[in-house]
Amino acid sequence: MTAVVESGEFIDEVAIDEAMLAASTKDGARVREILAKARELHGLDMDEVAVLSSVSDPELMAELFAAAREVKEAIYGARLVLFAPLYISNLCNNDCLYCAFRVRNKELKRRALTQEEVRHEVELLVDQGHKRILLVAGESYPKDGGFQYVLDSIKTIYDVKRGNGEIRRVNVNVAPLGVDQFRELKASGIGTFQLFQETYHRATYGAVHVGGKKKDFDWRVTGMHRAMEAGIDDVGIGVLFGLADWRYEILAMLQHIHELERAYGVGPHTISVPRLEPASGSDMASHPPQPVGDVDFRKLVAILRLAVPYTGMILSTRETANLRSETFALGISQISAGSRTNPGGYEEDEEFDAAQFQLGDHRSLDEVIRDISELGFIPSFCTACYRLGRTGMDFMDLAKPGDIKHHCDPNALSTYLEYLLDYGAPETREVGEASIAQKIAEMDPIRRAHTEKMLAQVREGKRDVLC
């Protein structure tokens, strides 16, 4: 077994700077050569990603976006997995200048949900139709509970049953842990452990993290090593874009990915791409040091899709509905919907009070589903891979050649039909039924027959039909 890495020296700033400097070129032939390689679905190296990040010519940009659409379709098809964040606490001991949860922010109302309150929030999410939750907590826990508070909350979430409704998978975004606590987290039955570096640029990291354990760059960047050492083989990484140069960030992220592949044979299951949004008590959140405009944001999504084609990409409700829809075809494969980012937000229906950041997409889950279905995508509530053992290396073996869609497409359609029958508004059900019929018609005969059998079981009242 690989020894746990304790230093983030694998983030090589000199190599990143050299790659960015060398990539300052307008060589269209080189760009097209890289895009041709990307279409082979084997990913890209750091120098190639640096070249794509320098593209500004409109014609080359259009070709970049076209290549990203092809790769997204080849690996993930039209599926968009839906989830909801559940903030159980905004207690935090860190002082991160961009975050409303930071310990010195006196404007924020502090709160940690009781287990009964957690249960009620989950009931509200289940009643909307959600099947997948991302548990989020500030990087401090109630004094009378400690880390056990997180484990208790996971159990509470899984215990909720509401007619046909339940949460089938809990993913977790909490402070980086030691190996022993990661083992406890693994034993609790989580799906993906998610941890964002925020910024891979050491100087920037030190400047924006001015208090608390999060000041330790190395402890945070090696968190995924400890998670994998503990047996968690599905991990999700991310950057908070706007703190440092986005081009630097995606190159450093690629180094992180390659390091995990070197050490454990498997890279991240997901990559998240949040941008800085206004947050209570944070001037930096409203005035990002290195703002990322919409054009560059779409470009970085497309580049990441080409660079790491097998990895799911997550976009939250930080972004507006219009921008979210523009990125679906470019690489995004998972989205949150109907989100609240404050503890107790689903009960109180408050979007900003005690919240971590301001939302850009305020639509309900049903409105999001109807919209993405009309755009030609398949809303999916599937959690089958987690529960059938298709995680880590087993998932990558299917995802890298594009074979995962043979499992995911039928599961997406069956879980979508569950939603329509149990929760969908009449107009959403009408749109959804038409969309399902169209997707089935596009399948080859064998997959079509199998999918129709699954859908028939759902219509007969069976739920959680797995492929």
Side-chain angles (χ1 to χ4, degrees), residues 147-327:
F147 179 65
Q148 185 63 39
Y149 173 68
V150 172
L151 302 177
D152 291 343
S153 297
I154 294 169
K155 182 178 185 305
T156 297
I157 294 169
Y158 279 134
D159 283 346
V160 172
K161 311 294 178 186
R162 304 271 290 183
N164 288 329
E166 62 182 345
I167 298 301
R168 296 173 183 164
R169 187 53 53 193
V170 179
N171 298 332
V172 173
N173 184 326
V174 297
L177 306 168
V179 174
D180 288 343
Q181 286 185 319
F182 271 127
R183 290 196 178 103
E184 293 182 84
L185 196 59
K186 169 74 173 177
S188 72
I190 69 162
T192 301
F193 173 72
Q194 194 181 86
L195 179 67
F196 302 162
Q197 187 61 24
E198 317 294 14
T199 174
Y200 287 98
H201 191 263
R202 278 187 181 267
T204 301
Y205 191 96
V208 300
H209 300 104
V210 297
K213 191 168 184 178
K214 197 169 177 177
K215 288 177 60 177
D216 190 337
F217 179 99
D218 292 308
W219 173 255
R220 193 166 188 89
V221 81
T222 57
M224 293 312 187
H225 289 75
R226 297 189 298 278
M228 288 189 169
E229 192 75 12
I232 298 176
D233 56 4
D234 266 31
V235 299
I237 63 175
V239 163
L240 183 55
F241 288 102
L243 294 176
D245 188 329
W246 69 266
R247 298 169 301 167
Y248 176 95
E249 300 286 26
I250 62 173
L251 295 179
M253 184 186 294
L254 200 59
Q255 289 184 338
H256 194 180
I257 291 168
H258 290 164
E259 164 62 15
L260 294 177
E261 291 174 334
R262 178 203 67 77
Y264 296 98
V266 60
H269 185 72
T270 58
I271 294 173
S272 295
V273 289
R275 284 192 292 184
L276 265 176
E277 295 294 339
S280 170
S282 171
D283 181 68
M284 180 178 290
S286 297
H287 303 90
Q290 296 274 359
V292 179
D294 289 352
V295 173
D296 280 342
F297 185 71
R298 289 192 292 269
K299 184 163 73 169
L300 74 85
V301 168
I303 292 171
L304 286 172
R305 174 48 62 220
L306 298 177
V308 201
Y310 59 83
T311 299
M313 290 180 63
I314 300 175
L315 190 65
S316 76
T317 50
R318 286 174 180 264
E319 303 298 341
T320 65
N322 286 340
L323 185 63
R324 295 211 315 160
S325 65
E326 291 174 5
T327 60

Side-chain angles (χ1 to χ4, degrees), residues 57-58 101 115 145 188 230 273 277 303 309 367 404:
D57 176 78
F101 288 3
Q115 292 308 306
S188 72
V273 289
E277 295 294 339
I303 292 171
E367 290 173 312
I404 192 65

